[in-house]
Amino acid sequence: MSTTGEGDVARFKRQAAERAVEAIQPGMVVGLGSGSTAAFVVHRLAALRAEGMLMDVVGVPTSVGTEALARASGVPLTTLEEHPVVDLTLDGADEVDSALRLIKGGGGALLREKIVAQASRRVLIVVDAGKLSPRLGTRWPVPVEVLPFGWRSQALFLEGLGARITPRQGPDGALYRTDQGNFILDCAFGPIERPEQLASRLEARAGIVAHGLFIGLTSELVVAGPSGVEFRRPS
């Protein structure tokens, strides 16, 4: 029986990212996601620019880390203040179901990622086949970004919804801070029967800044695995 190792996963991510970059057209404003898959997007875009292509494309980074990578790679950047409508966003995901609903935020950039996705005409999500799931929450907790003020009350609220809470920690053992200075509570709900209903309850709670359920935002999924690269649209 064959197994998929870390090297294979990285190769699949790169293959999917490079295919997704083919959707970028000259003159576009492109949302640049965060995480390892999005890094492949930035590297590919930089390589094309080095060949003299897509020179008038500008990126909107979804995290401080992506901004630093893009600048180091020579990819020109802009902001949503300068370009409030994004033509195309390329980003990854932690878990994807058959309706192309997502769990995102494993890298901590869920708020900016969602802002950019909602500002985009088209969102391509780039994943390896291991991110596909029969039901959201089966393989990944839902990250919930909360204000530091009163965060323990948010934890109690989330536990009341059935979540097992793990406050995210940084490498130093302190509570992890997002680019906005907020905390993240990783919420293990188990397989989520009604993601839309859960999303609505989270959005109605004061003190919850963002959650990692991305519903109705994916225009197309680019997934790579042992059988190659496949494109999927919402059913």
Side-chain angles (χ1 to χ4, degrees):
M1 183 177 65
S2 63
T3 58
T4 302
E6 291 185 7
D8 294 320
V9 170
R11 176 166 54 87
F12 296 150
K13 287 180 178 180
R14 178 180 55 78
Q15 290 172 348
E18 291 183 354
R19 285 293 298 277
V21 168
E22 294 176 5
I24 300 176
Q25 298 296 316
M28 276 188 168
V29 177
V30 178
L32 302 173
S34 301
S36 58
T37 303
F40 285 119
V41 169
V42 174
H43 288 309
R44 180 57 179 164
L45 181 55
L48 291 172
R49 285 179 51 80
E51 297 173 9
M53 293 181 279
L54 302 178
M55 300 300 288
D56 56 353
V57 167
V58 293
V60 177
T62 58
S63 67
V64 171
T66 297
E67 179 180 356
L69 176 61
R71 292 192 187 281
S73 303
V75 175
L77 299 177
T78 186
T79 66
L80 286 179
E81 285 69 40
E82 295 172 335
H83 292 91
V85 177
V86 176
D87 296 302
L88 171 69
T89 286
L90 305 179
D91 204 352
D94 300 306
E95 192 170 9
V96 186
D97 71 7
S98 60
L100 305 193
R101 296 172 294 196
L102 316 173
I103 289 179
K104 287 176 53 57
L110 61 156
L111 177 56
R112 293 192 187 183
E113 288 172 343
K114 188 170 285 187
I115 290 171
V116 173
Q118 290 177 341
S120 300
R121 293 190 173 101
R122 185 182 178 199
V123 177
L124 265 64
I125 297 297
V126 183
V127 297
D128 64 273
K131 301 296 176 63
L132 303 179
S133 175
R135 184 175 291 180
L136 293 184
T138 300
R139 300 175 180 174
W140 202 267
V142 177
V144 176
E145 184 168 343
V146 300
L147 290 174
F149 176 81
W151 73 269
R152 291 188 184 276
S153 67
Q154 311 309 335
L156 289 174
F157 168 76
L158 293 163
E159 288 174 346
L161 297 181
R164 188 175 72 254
I165 305 298
T166 303
R168 189 175 298 186
Q169 295 180 337
D172 60 356
L175 288 177
Y176 173 85
R177 293 269 186 171
T178 69
D179 289 344
Q180 288 70 237
N182 298 317
F183 296 153
I184 289 182
L185 305 178
D186 288 310
C187 300
F189 288 98
I192 301 169
E193 186 173 351
R194 298 181 180 88
E196 289 85 357
Q197 183 180 42
L198 176 58
S200 294
R201 297 194 70 176
L202 296 176
E203 288 159 8
R205 176 76 176 186
I208 291 179
V209 180
H211 60 78
L213 293 170
F214 282 52
I215 298 172
L217 292 172
T218 305
S219 306
E220 196 167 3
L221 182 72
V222 186
V223 55
S227 59
V229 179
E230 177 185 357
F231 287 77
R232 301 184 183 182
R233 294 184 181 274
S235 55

